[in-house]
Amino acid sequence: MAAHLKKRVYEEFSKVVQIPQEEAPAKKLRLSKPSKSAALHIDLCKATNSTDALQYLLHFARKPVEVESVEGVVRILLEHYYKETDNSVRLKIASLLGLLSKTQGFSPDCIVDDAINTLNNEKSHQVLAQLLETLLVIGTQLPESPAVRQRLIEMAYKHLSDTYFGVRNKCLQLLGCLGMVDTPLTKDEGQGTSIGGVRDVQSIISDYFADQDPRVRTGALKAMLQLHDRGMKIHQIIYEQACRLLADDYEQVRSAAVQMVWVLSQSYPECIVPIPSSNEEIRLVDDAFGKISHMVSDGSWMVRVQAAKTLGSMLQVSPHFLEQTLDKKLMSDLRRKRTAHERAKELFASGEFSSGRKWADDAPKEKLDTNTVNLIASGACGAFVHGLEDEMFEVRIAAVEALCQLARSSASFAEKCLDFLVDMFNDEIEEVRLQSIHVLREISTHITLREDQLDTVLAVLEDSSRDIREALHELLCYTNVSTKECIQLTLLDLLKNLNKYPSDRNSVWKCLKFLGSRHPTLVLPLVPELLSTHPYFDTPEPDMDDPAYIAVLVLVFNAAKSCPTLPALFSDHTFRHYSYLRDSLSHLVPPLRLPGRKLVHCLDSAGDFGCGSGSVESAQLFLQQSLNRISTIQNLEAPGGQDLLNFTIRDLQRLGELQTELAGAADFCVTYLRCQLLLMKALQEKLWNMAVPLCLKQNVMASAAVQQILEETYKLEFMYSGLENRQVATIHHVRLQAKALQLILTARTRQGLDPLIGSCEKFLQDVESFQRSFLTELPHLQDCFVEKLLELMPRLSSCKPVELVKILQTTLRQSGLLQLRLPEQIHRATANIIEPTGESDNPLKFTSGLVVALDIDATLEHVQDPQNTVKVQVLYPDGQSHVIHPKPGDFRKPGPNRHRLITQVYLSHSAWTEPSQIEVRLLLAYSSSSPSSASKLGWSDSIDSLPPPETSVEGTIPFSKPVKVFIMPKPARR
């Protein structure tokens, strides 16, 4: 082995000091960097003591190692390991062996024997634990090798009796990650009990539940949980041992035991277990629920959080156990304990008082046999009451979330826990209040608020936090109330909220829209009072600019949609106001059939396709038929193809306006077809049959079309969610066609061969990249541009640039139109800037050179990862543009696929003579890199030496309408 290592080191070292003269110049770049293993060997040989060796190893660990050098580096490290006497250096080498085993593309089976040999000869406990960690890494890297797995399990089993807790912990971790239930282990001699006996992995791990070290007990529980995560069913016999560990002295053990008890309760919910100190029996899931409920009163807040979260996922528990968690009565042996006032009242009524002369003469007369008491329920009694009143806000949040999960599956429990959740609206911590509101929103379908509960809920509208107020508005949108007084109370409090916080205007209006549509019969008796109408006298017409009056009208009009008798109470000016709001706030005011008037139509979600699910189906059918019609176009020069594309684009644009559920798919198709139309126009026959000097204008138009197609493909790829690999391949195919057209135009308009050679090489790389990235999709791309290119690829790689351009021109004009296949659901990323509105004529004044803060409030729909992709752009009148990246904390998520951006943008400029408008818009940032750049990693010795890939494209896409704001920088006073 030593001779082999010497030969290996000599070969690696020769790469550093010798550069063969006969090598071609192109290959010198490969040999100019020294090999990692040779460099490491030189460093370790230079080390005069253990401290130097450790420093060299730490420096080496900071740099990546290429795949082909890993084995050589491992050999060098092992050679030094055998010679090293210092424990810290051997520990670092063992750690490096584990890191090198994780190298992608390297199979660590060649170092298994050496790693096991080092384990057998090691005396240091810390190094032994690190070597076992390395074996665990190797085992997880070789899941398909049962022989290696079995050897590693045997090594773990052999060292389980080590006196150091870290070694025992790593052995248990190895058993948990690699052990199999159908692989029995045979105890070796010297291991203690059952010499020669065959045992199961679970029984071996469970032996260490009673270990003297709490860290080992925790490790044993986690190893058992790891077996469960790998799909192994834990034996029911473990349940009793796990329950005993709930009373352990150490919180880590108790926390892991809570998880273990929960796992077993989900595996064996209907099994019957006996109750200690009693002859009764109970379901295992109920017993586990009671025991975990008891842990909500644990001394450690971390265990309390763990227990509260776990209770929320125990949906199979019996209803009477569930309801006991909300029982506020003081319990003693499951008997109600009388308060001091009640006991004094009973003594007074009986005329008997304690004289104090006799010991315990006021003791209770009733003797209880504690053996007859059902102790299982004592744990569940008041568990959530304790959790909701805990001193740590993390426990209170966990209890609120658990209540939500349990209430969603039980309507009766939702009604019972309503009072407790409403009480949490007064919590001192904002996060707890916010979570309580969200929880009540989720279970709002099961509950109806009483007037006293509504008082507590509406008090939160005074909160200074905008997030709290908007969450409460969202809650009120989906909440049922019981009486018309509740409606009146809610409206008054919302109007107070509107007066105090005018920025909540849109949120309050939206809340009243849903409140009116949910309670039309309760709004009906309030209409005369709300609209100030009188049966005999004319009342003054209210001001339509008053947000409070608009709020009242939104409530009334939405109630009138499902209450046909309500419009009879309207006065004449109310009808005029309805027409005005129907046009200006159509998203808040529904279409109504008013007496003596025609139905006021709107382009609602049903549109011209009717209403209901049938309209969506007919719209989907129309969309598919339009795409099928497009597929009849044979190639990009087909006669009548442009007209057909124009008509289809017009139809699909109209479909997206009428059917909002299909707006994303319709917009996607329109953008794709527009790219094909631009290609058709750019490939017109007369453009290519004329001499280049005679068609310069057409060349410019074609170049502009190419640039627009490329921009549209990036929109298709990054602005739409729900795309599958097939649609991405179609988008990249269009992009490849645009690049081919760009190459042809470059050859026609530019002189010189060198730029053309570089462009041709880059295009061929793009074709190869497309083939690698979408190999599985190539069978679906029949008779298209890429398929013809791949057939001609050997010829293209060897021909001259001019010939390549001619082949591309012919292939592009004859290629067929690739048919678009849509997935089930496509959504387009959209943004709507609420503030600033852009309607104010009053300029925002500030001193030039200083800054002024502009509040931005916007809603985002279907945006993936908005914290990293959404930016704010400010465009000044002089052409300057500033792009601001909002902080992650500026984003909220009020619902699925919805985000809210509330931030401030700081503006500054030199002095102006008069106010001017700036434009504010939202941008969606994207980064697209060609997979061909990743394949070059193997040509260099290290990833950190690579330059950034030239093929990566970064940019931004505007996805909101710009809002114009007047600003006026004034000169500073002197």
Side-chain angles (χ1 to χ4, degrees):
M1 180 178 174
H4 172 71
L5 285 172
K6 287 181 180 178
K7 182 180 179 182
R8 177 84 182 178
V9 171
Y10 179 79
E11 291 174 350
E12 296 290 339
F13 186 71
S14 64
K15 294 180 182 178
V16 185
V17 296
Q18 296 180 5
I19 300 178
Q21 298 297 323
E22 65 273 13
E23 291 288 348
K27 295 184 179 179
K28 287 182 180 179
L29 182 63
R30 175 65 183 263
L31 300 174
S32 62
K33 287 194 76 173
S35 170
K36 288 287 190 300
S37 54
L40 178 63
H41 177 74
I42 294 171
D43 288 341
L44 292 177
C45 288
K46 287 192 296 186
T48 56
N49 53 41
S50 299
T51 305
D52 290 345
L54 189 59
Q55 288 299 323
Y56 287 130
L57 290 171
L58 289 170
H59 180 70
F60 173 77
R62 298 189 189 103
K63 295 184 178 180
V65 181
E66 65 278 8
V67 177
E68 55 266 24
S69 297
V70 170
E71 188 174 357
V73 170
V74 168
R75 298 299 170 196
I76 297 296
L77 289 172
L78 286 170
E79 182 185 17
H80 192 79
Y81 179 91
Y82 291 127
K83 296 187 298 185
E84 185 59 56
T85 57
D86 189 88
N87 288 344
S88 60
V89 178
R90 295 206 310 280
L91 183 68
K92 185 60 184 175
I93 291 175
S95 172
L96 284 174
L97 291 176
L99 288 173
L100 290 168
S101 299
K102 294 180 181 178
T103 306
Q104 191 171 4
F106 173 70
S107 179
D109 51 358
C110 57
I111 63 172
V112 172
D113 293 333
D114 293 302
I116 290 177
N117 288 335
T118 57
L119 195 69
N120 290 328
N121 300 323
E122 185 57 57
K123 303 299 180 185
S124 168
H125 294 297
Q126 286 85 356
V127 180
L128 202 59
Q130 186 59 56
L131 286 170
L132 286 165
E133 175 70 25
T134 300
L135 288 181
L136 176 60
V137 172
I138 293 173
T140 51
Q141 295 292 106
L142 299 170
E144 304 300 327
S145 178
V148 173
R149 180 192 293 268
Q150 187 62 30
R151 288 185 65 191
L152 298 182
I153 291 174
E154 289 172 0
M155 293 307 299
Y157 188 51
K158 178 180 176 182
H159 290 87
L160 262 175
S161 58
D162 196 278
T163 56
Y164 180 56
F165 81 92
V167 175
R168 300 202 299 278
N169 253 351
K170 292 299 177 185
C171 291
L172 290 168
Q173 193 175 352
L174 258 171
L175 291 175
C177 292
L178 303 178
M180 300 298 291
V181 71
D182 55 352
T183 308
L185 297 177
T186 305
K187 281 214 166 195
D188 299 331
E189 291 186 347
Q191 290 298 316
T193 60
S194 304
I195 296 175
V198 177
R199 302 196 59 200
D200 182 62
V201 173
Q202 292 189 28
S203 62
I204 293 171
I205 294 176
S206 64
D207 286 346
Y208 289 85
F209 285 178
D211 194 273
Q212 62 182 0
D213 195 299
R215 291 165 291 192
V216 178
R217 297 198 293 274
T218 307
L221 284 165
K222 288 184 176 178
M224 195 71 79
L225 290 169
Q226 183 67 34
L227 290 177
H228 169 74
D229 291 341
R230 290 171 48 215
M232 195 178 297
K233 192 165 186 178
I234 308 300
H235 301 327
Q236 187 187 346
I237 196 172
I238 305 293
Y239 178 72
E240 187 179 346
Q241 296 172 287
C243 289
R244 284 199 295 268
L245 290 175
L246 290 173
D248 197 274
D249 292 339
Y250 292 85
E251 65 177 71
Q252 291 90 351
V253 181
R254 298 197 300 273
S255 180
V258 167
Q259 296 180 54
M260 192 74 249
V261 170
W262 177 83
V263 163
L264 289 163
S265 73
Q266 302 304 300
S267 301
Y268 306 97
E270 300 300 328
C271 290
I272 303 300
V273 294
I275 298 172
S277 306
S278 171
N279 295 326
E280 298 183 32
E281 293 181 332
I282 195 172
R283 294 166 68 225
L284 191 145
V285 67
D286 292 336
D287 185 63
F289 186 80
K291 286 181 166 57
I292 296 176
S293 296
H294 186 68
M295 301 305 291
V296 177
S297 303
D298 192 85
S300 166
W301 71 269
M302 295 179 66
V303 177
R304 298 201 297 273
V305 169
Q306 176 75 39
K309 286 182 176 178
T310 306
L311 287 178
S313 56
M314 302 183 73
L315 305 179
Q316 296 169 300
V317 70
S318 302
H320 61 281
F321 283 109
L322 197 57
E323 291 166 8
Q324 282 183 2
T325 58
L326 300 174
D327 193 355
K328 276 189 170 181
K329 298 185 183 73
L330 296 171
M331 303 295 286
S332 176
D333 292 332
L334 286 189
R335 304 298 178 93
R336 183 174 180 274
K337 183 184 288 184
R338 292 173 300 167
T339 63
H341 177 73
E342 289 172 333
R343 291 199 300 271
K345 182 179 179 181
E346 185 179 340
L347 285 172
F348 179 76
S350 63
E352 296 179 5
F353 286 91
S354 171
S355 63
R357 295 176 181 175
K358 187 178 179 182
W359 177 256
D361 60 353
D362 60 346
K365 303 296 185 290
E366 181 186 9
K367 300 294 183 183
L368 290 177
D369 181 7
T370 54
N371 291 330
T372 64
V373 175
N374 184 357
L375 294 178
I376 181 63
S378 63
C381 281
F384 281 123
V385 178
H386 296 146
L388 295 174
E389 296 175 355
D390 198 275
E391 61 179 351
M392 303 296 291
F393 81 92
E394 294 91 347
V395 182
R396 300 200 296 275
I397 289 178
V400 165
E401 291 174 349
L403 273 178
C404 172
Q405 294 180 42
L406 294 169
R408 275 188 301 191
S409 60
S410 171
S412 62
F413 185 71
E415 292 178 6
K416 290 181 172 62
C417 70
L418 180 57
D419 283 325
F420 297 93
L421 288 173
V422 170
D423 285 343
M424 298 307 291
F425 284 21
N426 297 319
D427 195 273
E428 59 184 357
I429 302 295
E430 178 180 332
E431 192 176 347
V432 180
R433 299 199 300 273
L434 190 59
Q435 190 62 35
S436 305
I437 294 170
H438 287 319
V439 163
L440 203 57
R441 155 74 181 86
E442 290 188 38
I443 64 172
S444 58
T445 54
H446 296 309
I447 57 177
T448 300
L449 289 179
R450 302 189 309 269
E451 194 168 343
D452 58 317
Q453 295 167 335
L454 193 62
D455 275 332
T456 308
V457 170
L458 294 175
V460 185
L461 289 173
E462 299 288 331
D463 201 295
S464 59
S465 168
R466 183 171 188 164
D467 292 338
I468 293 285
R469 297 196 307 273
E470 291 191 350
L472 192 66
H473 296 155
E474 189 83 10
L475 166 64
L476 291 174
C477 287
Y478 299 98
T479 302
N480 299 313
V481 296
S482 51
T483 62
K484 67 182 181 66
E485 286 76 16
C486 291
I487 294 289
Q488 194 168 20
L489 184 64
T490 305
L491 177 62
L492 290 175
D493 279 47
L494 285 172
L495 293 180
K496 287 179 187 175
N497 173 203
L498 191 60
N499 186 45
K500 188 174 182 180
Y501 301 104
S503 60
D504 290 355
R505 182 179 65 181
N506 288 286
S507 185
V508 169
W509 287 350
K510 177 189 171 188
C511 173
L512 288 168
K513 169 191 174 182
F514 284 93
L515 198 67
S517 60
R518 292 178 75 88
H519 306 91
T521 55
L522 299 181
V523 174
L524 177 61
L526 298 173
V527 169
E529 183 180 352
L530 295 179
L531 298 181
S532 301
T533 56
H534 194 276
Y536 306 120
F537 303 108
D538 278 341
T539 52
E541 182 174 344
D543 182 9
M544 275 304 297
D545 292 331
D546 183 7
Y549 177 61
I550 295 176
V552 172
L553 289 182
V554 168
L555 173 74
V556 172
F557 291 150
N558 281 278
K561 184 177 181 181
S562 51
C563 185
T565 58
L566 197 147
L569 303 174
F570 291 173
S571 57
D572 289 339
H573 60 255
T574 308
F575 292 111
R576 295 197 304 274
H577 295 170
Y578 168 74
S579 300
Y580 171 74
L581 292 179
R582 186 70 196 96
D583 292 333
S584 59
L585 297 174
S586 58
H587 62 289
L588 295 174
V589 179
L592 299 179
R593 188 180 297 278
L594 301 177
R597 291 171 172 82
K598 294 182 179 178
L599 178 66
V600 182
H601 290 283
C602 73
L603 296 177
D604 59 0
S605 60
D608 292 345
F609 293 96
C611 60
S613 59
S615 65
V616 179
E617 293 172 1
S618 60
Q620 285 176 334
L621 180 62
F622 178 79
L623 178 61
Q624 193 57 52
Q625 288 173 346
S626 300
L627 294 179
N628 293 339
R629 198 180 309 119
I630 290 297
S631 64
T632 59
I633 300 176
Q634 296 298 324
N635 54 55
L636 296 178
E637 290 188 333
Q642 290 189 29
D643 292 337
L644 181 57
L645 279 176
N646 274 319
F647 293 144
T648 307
I649 288 172
R650 183 199 62 188
D651 291 344
L652 294 184
Q653 283 176 333
R654 181 65 174 160
L655 175 67
E657 294 171 1
L658 296 176
Q659 190 60 267
T660 54
E661 294 181 12
L662 293 177
D667 288 343
F668 183 83
C669 295
V670 165
T671 309
Y672 173 75
L673 296 179
R674 193 179 291 123
C675 291
Q676 299 291 350
L677 184 60
L678 288 169
L679 266 177
M680 276 189 174
K681 290 181 178 178
L683 290 170
Q684 285 178 352
E685 188 175 354
K686 58 184 179 182
L687 171 65
W688 306 99
N689 293 338
M690 295 170 65
V692 176
L694 300 179
C695 61
L696 291 178
K697 184 178 180 182
Q698 285 86 344
N699 279 331
V700 171
M701 292 172 58
S703 298
V706 167
Q707 197 58 40
Q708 187 177 349
I709 292 170
L710 291 175
E711 291 176 2
E712 296 287 348
T713 57
Y714 288 119
K715 286 183 183 179
L716 287 171
E717 187 173 0
F718 297 105
M719 277 191 68
Y720 294 87
S721 58
L723 299 181
E724 298 171 355
N725 200 39
R726 189 165 181 181
Q727 286 79 46
V728 178
T730 306
I731 294 167
H732 280 258
H733 179 264
V734 176
R735 192 176 300 161
L736 201 62
Q737 287 179 303
K739 289 180 177 179
L741 181 57
Q742 194 174 38
L743 177 59
I744 297 168
L745 292 170
T746 302
R748 285 170 62 87
T749 55
R750 292 187 183 177
Q751 301 298 323
L753 190 62
D754 290 342
L756 186 59
I757 292 175
S759 300
C760 290
E761 289 179 353
K762 187 174 182 304
F763 179 77
L764 291 177
Q765 286 180 3
D766 289 336
V767 176
E768 292 175 357
S769 168
F770 183 93
Q771 184 181 14
R772 280 195 303 271
S773 304
F774 304 108
L775 195 60
T776 57
E777 300 300 326
L778 287 178
H780 303 295
L781 306 179
Q782 297 292 334
D783 194 31
C784 67
F785 178 63
V786 170
E787 186 188 37
K788 294 180 179 179
L789 279 187
L790 293 177
E791 292 174 359
L792 298 169
M793 201 61 189
R795 181 182 170 189
L796 295 176
S797 303
S798 58
C799 68
K800 295 180 180 179
V802 178
E803 186 182 355
L804 173 75
V805 170
K806 289 182 179 178
I807 295 173
L808 280 182
Q809 181 175 334
T810 306
T811 309
L812 188 60
R813 294 173 68 181
Q814 294 177 353
S815 60
L817 189 67
L818 191 60
Q819 187 174 5
L820 185 63
R821 298 283 185 185
L822 290 179
E824 290 186 2
Q825 199 75 32
I826 294 182
H827 295 289
R828 179 177 177 173
T830 57
N832 179 35
I833 299 177
I834 302 172
E835 293 288 341
T837 58
E839 298 172 354
S840 175
D841 293 332
N842 297 324
L844 201 60
K845 296 180 181 179
F846 61 97
T847 303
S848 65
L850 300 181
V851 296
V852 63
L854 178 66
D855 291 322
I856 303 289
D857 183 2
T859 57
L860 312 174
E861 300 275 349
H862 303 289
V863 178
Q864 308 294 322
D865 192 20
Q867 287 88 348
N868 296 321
T869 57
V870 175
K871 297 181 180 181
V872 182
Q873 183 188 44
V874 179
L875 188 64
Y876 291 92
D878 59 356
Q880 290 186 38
S881 175
H882 291 167
V883 177
I884 300 99
H885 198 119
K887 301 188 296 292
D890 293 338
F891 292 92
R892 282 91 167 160
K893 190 173 182 181
N897 298 318
R898 281 199 300 140
H899 289 85
R900 184 83 176 275
L901 172 61
I902 300 176
T903 187
Q904 281 189 328
V905 171
Y906 296 102
L907 311 175
S908 181
H909 212 279
S910 55
W912 296 350
T913 56
E914 60 183 25
S916 295
Q917 288 179 332
I918 62 166
E919 281 191 0
V920 180
R921 71 174 70 191
L922 296 184
L923 305 177
L924 193 68
Y926 66 85
S927 177
S928 172
S929 58
S930 173
S932 60
S933 60
S935 63
K936 299 179 183 178
L937 295 178
W939 300 349
S940 178
D941 286 318
S942 128
I943 298 174
D944 55 0
S945 66
L946 277 178
E950 297 179 0
T951 50
S952 63
V953 178
E954 293 187 356
T956 54
I957 305 169
F959 75 122
S960 75
K961 292 181 180 178
V963 174
K964 294 184 178 181
V965 180
F966 268 105
I967 67 170
M968 178 61 190
K970 300 181 296 182
R973 292 181 180 178
R974 295 185 178 180

